[in-house]
Amino acid sequence: MPCIIRNQRSNKMKLHLKITSTILCLSLLFLSSCAETPESVKKGSKNENTATQGYALTSLDEMSKKKSEYIDELKKLECDNMNFSDILDIDIPQKIKTGDFICPTGFEDNYKEIFTHYDEDFNEANITNDDTTYPTGPSYEDKEKGLQLSIGCTGFFSYQKVFDVQKYYNESEFVKTFPYSEAVESSEKYKLVGSEGELSVPEAVKLAQDFAVDFTNFCNYPNDLSVSRISLYECSDGYFYMANYTQSVSDVNILEYAGYDSIDENMIVSCAFAYICGNEVNNFVTNSYFEEYKIDGELTSTSDPVSAAKCLSDTLATNMKLNVKRIAIEYCMIKKGNIEKSTGDEETDREKAPWATYCSYDIYEAVPCWVFYFDETPNKEIYATINCNDMNVSFVNNQIGNV
């Protein structure tokens, strides 16, 4: 990847990008060093190799019906290098389309309606345009309310309200992370910066989810955003939460974590997050969405999660002691090229994109993979992917060489 950002919460960049909160989106793409990957998730895009691996194919529908049975079987599975959490969950989509998706253009066209939705006193005079920034689109600032909004052609959107960028991005300390399944059951609560009372972890999840649902519905944002984890941070005058979202396209989640030089050099992740201070969402950012481009089929069957677990265990080193907290079939988005706007021709030259991030007309192959999640601590994620087509395994450990 041409651009590497090692500190997830740093806002020091030379790229001319949208307002400061964009940097978190980008930095989620390029975490710290990972373990050497056995195989690329991209290799083997057809089902013919699966049979040679010795694993039978099972339909998605049958696997969905047997989910509870798989969970029980996995918990009893004896592996030298991993075990399965008591709160293990498995996510199996009902339908998985195969083919290519494209990054959109023109999301900023309805900026007036969108900005008015977040500021009922919208004033056109507060709009600024900067042709040197990407993604292209206007920004807005209501200084009296401490409100900043920005929108871009790719589906980029940023919302900040009474938000101290320096304090929350650079001067805070990470405390702990709650994966979604733990967050919604947690009884923990904390007094947040700028608030009188305490806010529980489940209440923070609801605030973040409600904000995202309102955004996607009102702005005609076509992909769903669902809270995947809530992290707690502490700064000089209290606590705050950060929520990460999983983005889904065609009802299939997109893998939202990566690692430097991991899985595939052209892999890109979907980034969306929210900060919760003062018992409300003070900062919300999403970077892009994805539209169907050339859908060529459907993945109707693959190896079941128990077979995938056995394959993974056989691949990993025996001296590992990993705890699997959740398993899901998700898309890995692999960058293929860009559409040349003037001709409509498909190009593979990455230099046609202004930066090594989401750009309008970028094309991605959506590769379905089993994803085994071991640790979802921000910037220290550990997970493995198993290509649903050929059972090739990739392992990412963002705790190795972490800075």
Side-chain angles (χ1 to χ4, degrees):
M1 293 180 176
C3 175
I4 300 171
I5 304 170
R6 294 194 179 276
N7 186 346
Q8 181 186 356
R9 297 159 56 72
S10 170
N11 68 344
K12 299 176 182 177
M13 291 182 61
K14 295 181 180 179
L15 301 181
H16 296 287
L17 297 168
K18 291 288 187 180
I19 62 175
T20 309
S21 57
T22 312
I23 291 138
L24 259 115
C25 275
L26 288 174
S27 59
L28 286 167
L29 301 179
F30 310 104
L31 304 176
S32 51
S33 300
C34 70
E36 184 175 341
T37 54
E39 292 286 348
S40 166
V41 74
K42 178 76 182 297
K43 294 178 182 177
S45 59
K46 300 296 180 183
N47 263 336
E48 65 257 26
N49 292 331
T50 308
T52 65
Q53 297 286 343
Y55 299 104
L57 299 179
T58 304
S59 71
L60 299 179
D61 182 61
E62 183 178 351
M63 283 193 287
S64 295
K65 293 177 181 177
K66 295 176 62 178
K67 187 172 87 166
S68 60
E69 296 178 33
Y70 288 132
I71 291 175
D72 290 339
E73 191 173 348
L74 284 166
K75 289 180 180 180
K76 297 175 183 177
L77 193 64
E78 294 184 2
C79 300
D80 293 333
N81 40 25
M82 61 184 182
N83 54 53
F84 296 85
S85 171
D86 290 338
I87 59 171
L88 177 69
D89 190 29
I90 303 176
D91 180 24
I92 303 170
Q94 294 182 338
K95 184 176 182 179
I96 301 177
K97 298 178 180 179
T98 59
D100 296 342
F101 290 79
I102 192 167
C103 186
T105 191
F107 183 67
E108 80 283 18
D109 290 346
N110 294 324
Y111 73 91
K112 287 185 180 181
E113 291 83 356
I114 293 173
F115 288 171
T116 301
H117 180 67
Y118 292 98
D119 186 357
E120 59 185 13
D121 301 316
F122 171 77
N123 184 344
E124 185 79 28
N126 293 331
I127 291 285
T128 58
N129 285 280
D130 185 350
D131 293 337
T132 67
T133 63
Y134 193 85
T136 56
S139 296
Y140 176 85
E141 182 175 14
D142 186 330
K143 293 183 178 179
E144 290 185 5
K145 296 180 179 179
L147 176 66
Q148 291 179 300
L149 305 170
S150 191
I151 196 167
C153 54
T154 63
F156 168 83
F157 178 75
S158 174
Y159 167 97
Q160 288 186 355
K161 184 178 180 182
V162 191
F163 187 77
D164 188 332
V165 170
Q166 179 69 19
K167 178 193 297 183
Y168 300 127
Y169 285 0
N170 292 338
E171 298 175 359
S172 56
E173 296 292 332
F174 169 78
V175 178
K176 63 190 304 185
T177 290
F178 303 83
Y180 178 81
S181 59
E182 296 179 19
V184 293
E185 299 294 334
S186 174
S187 60
E188 296 184 34
K189 56 179 61 176
Y190 299 88
K191 185 178 182 301
L192 303 189
V193 176
S195 63
E196 295 298 327
E198 295 178 325
L199 188 74
S200 70
V201 176
E203 288 171 333
V205 171
K206 187 177 187 306
L207 281 174
Q209 191 61 59
D210 288 350
F211 194 100
V213 169
D214 177 74
F215 165 74
T216 54
N217 287 345
F218 180 82
C219 300
N220 294 320
Y221 188 90
N223 302 159
D224 289 332
L225 297 171
S226 56
V227 175
S228 60
R229 60 181 173 179
I230 286 277
S231 297
L232 180 70
Y233 289 85
E234 186 174 14
C235 60
S236 57
D237 48 357
Y239 293 98
F240 62 89
Y241 293 106
M242 177 184 175
N244 289 94
Y245 298 94
T246 295
Q247 185 175 168
S248 61
V249 57
S250 300
D251 296 321
V252 180
N253 289 343
I254 301 171
L255 179 65
E256 63 174 304
Y257 312 139
Y260 170 53
D261 198 27
S262 66
I263 299 183
D264 189 289
E265 63 180 3
N266 292 324
M267 179 184 169
I268 195 164
V269 300
S270 61
C271 297
F273 62 86
Y275 277 65
I276 300 167
C277 323
N279 294 3
E280 65 177 341
V281 172
N282 300 78
N283 186 206
F284 172 85
V285 175
T286 184
N287 216 349
S288 174
Y289 64 83
F290 305 88
E291 297 175 334
E292 294 182 12
Y293 177 59
K294 291 182 179 179
I295 302 301
D296 56 18
E298 184 179 335
L299 180 76
T300 57
S301 62
T302 186
S303 297
D304 65 52
V306 177
S307 297
K310 292 176 180 178
C311 175
L312 176 58
S313 180
D314 289 343
T315 304
L316 297 178
T318 57
N319 61 348
M320 289 182 168
K321 295 297 180 184
L322 299 167
N323 182 250
V324 183
K325 295 188 174 181
R326 66 183 179 103
I327 304 171
I329 296 182
E330 299 180 346
Y331 282 138
C332 286
M333 286 293 190
I334 309 298
K335 173 75 178 286
K336 294 179 65 177
N338 190 273
I339 296 293
E340 171 54 52
K341 287 179 266 189
S342 61
T343 65
D345 295 329
E346 191 169 322
E347 302 285 348
T348 58
D349 182 3
R350 289 178 63 84
E351 295 304 317
K352 286 188 176 294
W355 290 286
T357 180
Y358 311 94
C359 298
S360 293
Y361 305 105
D362 279 353
I363 305 167
Y364 307 92
E365 180 183 0
V367 181
C369 293
W370 280 111
V371 186
F372 283 65
Y373 289 97
F374 305 108
D375 193 331
E376 296 184 75
T377 301
N379 210 25
K380 295 183 179 181
E381 298 87 354
I382 302 176
Y383 65 94
T385 66
I386 304 172
N387 191 315
C388 286
N389 294 304
D390 60 16
M391 301 297 284
N392 279 332
V393 173
S394 295
F395 180 72
V396 175
N397 183 353
N398 286 321
Q399 296 180 15
I400 295 179
N402 188 264
V403 293

